[in-house]
């Protein structure tokens, strides 16, 4: 590969119209991976005394800027030590869910790469991305082990459907990359919102999120480019089917990321009434629908936002405006 100056995904974030443009975009993304990547052990300051889990433990109290548990009076009225315990569990569990989704992504991409034709720029880029995701998983596991809570991550049934990603990547790559977008967009949104805020979060969380965000920008950019390129080659019927599948995937995966499993609510004796208020109220739906701003723009750009699809987005309560540019700050973000 001919090396040019490092390029970020943002610089390469243009419309994909032709094979040449798509190849050039992937070449730029691959260059970005070669020149700017992170090490899970060197780029997180694990040995900093301030990073010890129980130093400044109040910093594990969940930030109200973007956490629906933290916004609820039930949580706010708990004693400080319980707020800290829930905060540690919540952060560790979110990272565990991220790690499980990365495993699905890696397994799918590996099988996608299995049959990529020689000469395709997808092989090199996907390989870079899998390496980065493996490093994220090492970083996530280190964080979970340091927090020291035995979190399980995804709840049923997604935990048991882990092989679906690999199947989709083999047979229906467009659906697989929708799953990728559904996994990456909400996490990216939540992490950006938190880092942009003035919340005093634990430095382990801040450092891990910063490293993750920097590389996820490339991954999201690739998933968007892939769908722009490949969906355009689908038949009208195929596109219509994809337009209905996309919001279902976004809703399903997005909520699986945001809403903790039943084990979490049982562990902390959180009443079912409170659980529903936290995650299934009209306010919560509005808040969660913001996670999909960029996904809706993508659906629109690739021709998957027809009148029937709009109804599905609406029924699933993840409809909303189309943001003017990627990751536009939200109404509740500051
Ligand atoms: Fe990642
Ligand atoms: Fe990623």
């Amino acid at each position: 590969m001919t090396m040019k100056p490092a390029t970020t995904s943002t610089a390469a974030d243009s419309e994909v119209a032709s094979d040449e443009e798509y190849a050039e975009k992937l070449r730029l993304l691959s260059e970005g991976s070669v020149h700017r990547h992170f090490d899970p052990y060197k780029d997180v300051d694990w040995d900093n005394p301030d990073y010890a889990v129980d130093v400044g433990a109040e910093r594990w109290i969940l930030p109200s800027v973007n956490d629906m548990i933290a916004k609820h009076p039930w949580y706010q009225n708990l004693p400080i030590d319980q707020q800290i315990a829930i905060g540690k569990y919540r952060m560790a569990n979110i990272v565990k869910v991220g790690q499980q989704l990365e495993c699905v992504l890696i397994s799918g991409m590996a099988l996608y790469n299995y049959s990529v034709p020689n000469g395709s720029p997808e092989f090199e880029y996907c390989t870079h991305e899998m390496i980065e995701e493996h490093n994220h998983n090492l970083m996530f596991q280190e964080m979970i082990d340091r927090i020291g809570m035995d979190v399980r991550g995804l709840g049923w049934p997604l935990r048991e459907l882990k092989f679906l990603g690999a199947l989709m990547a083999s047979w229906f790559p467009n659906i697989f990359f929708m799953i990728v977008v559904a996994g990456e967009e909400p996490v990216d949104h939540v992490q950006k919102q938190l880092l942009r805020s003035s919340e005093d979060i634990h430095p382990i969380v801040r450092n891990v999120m910063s490293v993750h965000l920097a590389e996820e920008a490339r991954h999201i950019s690739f998933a968007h480019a892939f769908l722009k390129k490949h969906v355009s080659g689908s038949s009208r019927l195929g596109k219509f089917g994809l337009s209905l599948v996309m919001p279902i995937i976004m809703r399903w995966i997005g909520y699986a990321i945001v809403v903790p499993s039943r084990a979490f609510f049982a562990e902390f004796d959180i009443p079912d009434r409170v659980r529903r208020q936290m995650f299934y109220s009209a306010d919560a739906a509005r808040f969660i629908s913001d996670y999909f701003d960029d996904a809706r723009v993508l659906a629109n750009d690739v021709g998957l936002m027809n009148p029937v699809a709009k109804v599905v987005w609406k029924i699933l309560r993840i409809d909303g405006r189309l943001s003017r540019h990627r990751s536009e700050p939200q109404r509740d973000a500051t």
Side-chain angles (χ1 to χ4, degrees), residues 38-326:
F38 294 90
D39 183 291
Y41 301 112
K42 293 179 184 161
D43 291 311
V44 180
D45 196 8
W46 298 110
D47 295 329
N48 186 328
D50 195 41
Y51 279 44
V53 168
D54 291 323
V55 171
E58 292 78 18
R59 294 178 294 183
W60 290 107
I61 293 174
L62 292 171
S64 58
V65 66
N66 72 342
D67 195 288
M68 277 158 285
I69 296 172
K71 288 174 184 293
H72 199 283
W74 180 89
Y75 179 78
Q76 292 163 0
N77 292 328
L78 287 175
I80 295 292
D81 60 328
Q82 285 182 48
Q83 289 189 30
I84 291 170
I86 290 177
K88 285 163 78 175
Y89 189 108
R90 170 80 162 154
M91 288 297 179
N93 201 60
I94 286 174
V95 167
K96 187 74 182 176
V97 167
Q99 185 190 67
Q100 289 167 331
L101 290 171
E102 305 288 35
C103 288
V104 170
L105 181 148
I106 292 164
S107 65
M109 269 197 175
L111 287 183
Y112 183 76
N113 255 1
Y114 185 95
S115 14
V116 162
N118 293 327
S120 166
E122 288 179 346
F123 183 89
E124 180 184 346
Y125 177 74
C126 286
T127 305
H128 285 305
E129 184 165 323
M130 284 186 280
I131 292 167
E132 289 166 7
E133 298 295 25
H134 274 301
N135 279 322
H136 294 171
N137 279 355
L138 287 170
M139 179 174 74
F140 291 160
Q141 193 59 53
E142 185 69 24
M143 177 173 156
I144 293 163
D145 291 344
R146 283 176 185 251
I147 292 174
M149 285 182 155
D150 187 23
V151 291
R152 299 184 66 197
L154 287 166
W156 189 88
L158 256 187
R159 193 171 49 234
E160 304 307 323
L161 295 175
K162 50 190 174 279
F163 54 85
L164 271 185
L167 282 182
M168 290 298 132
S170 304
W171 295 339
F172 306 106
N174 285 330
I175 294 180
F176 171 70
F177 279 95
M178 285 178 181
I179 294 172
V180 170
V181 170
E184 289 181 336
E185 291 282 8
V187 173
D188 185 76
H189 184 98
V190 166
Q191 293 183 341
K192 272 198 186 113
Q193 212 174 39
L194 194 52
L195 292 183
R196 281 171 180 164
S197 77
S198 55
E199 298 273 357
D200 185 19
I201 52 176
H202 199 279
I204 290 181
V205 177
R206 187 171 288 280
N207 200 160
V208 165
M209 279 186 185
S210 304
V211 166
H212 194 239
L213 264 177
E215 291 189 331
E216 285 305 305
R218 268 197 299 270
H219 303 177
I220 291 173
S221 189
F222 171 64
H224 282 226
F226 183 98
L227 287 169
K228 284 177 183 172
K229 182 70 196 151
H230 291 273
V231 168
S232 63
S234 303
S235 65
R236 282 181 68 179
L237 186 61
K239 267 191 177 177
F240 183 69
L242 286 172
S243 76
L244 305 185
V245 166
M246 186 168 180
I248 293 169
I249 290 175
M250 296 300 144
R251 170 65 171 73
W252 189 24
I253 308 280
Y255 270 70
I257 291 172
V258 176
V259 183
S261 67
R262 294 272 177 178
F264 170 82
F265 295 98
E267 172 93 16
F268 295 102
D269 287 327
I270 303 176
D272 204 47
R273 169 187 55 83
V274 172
R275 182 184 71 86
R276 278 185 268 111
Q277 287 169 354
M278 281 174 174
F279 294 103
Y280 298 101
S281 65
D283 273 354
R286 266 195 304 278
F287 197 73
I288 294 174
S289 79
D290 284 345
Y291 297 171
F292 299 103
D293 277 359
D294 294 333
R296 287 191 296 270
V297 172
L298 174 66
N300 196 53
D301 289 351
V302 297
L304 299 182
M305 197 56 101
N306 54 60
V308 183
K310 279 183 186 166
V311 171
V312 179
W313 285 86
K314 192 173 175 60
I315 289 171
L316 297 175
R317 304 209 294 178
I318 51 171
D319 60 323
R321 71 203 178 123
L322 295 176
S323 54
R324 291 181 296 277
H325 54 80
R326 247 197 77 70

Side-chain angles (χ1 to χ4, degrees), residues 1-14:
M1 191 177 81
T2 310
M3 298 294 180
K4 286 188 179 176
T7 309
T8 66
S9 58
T10 315
D13 208 13
S14 54

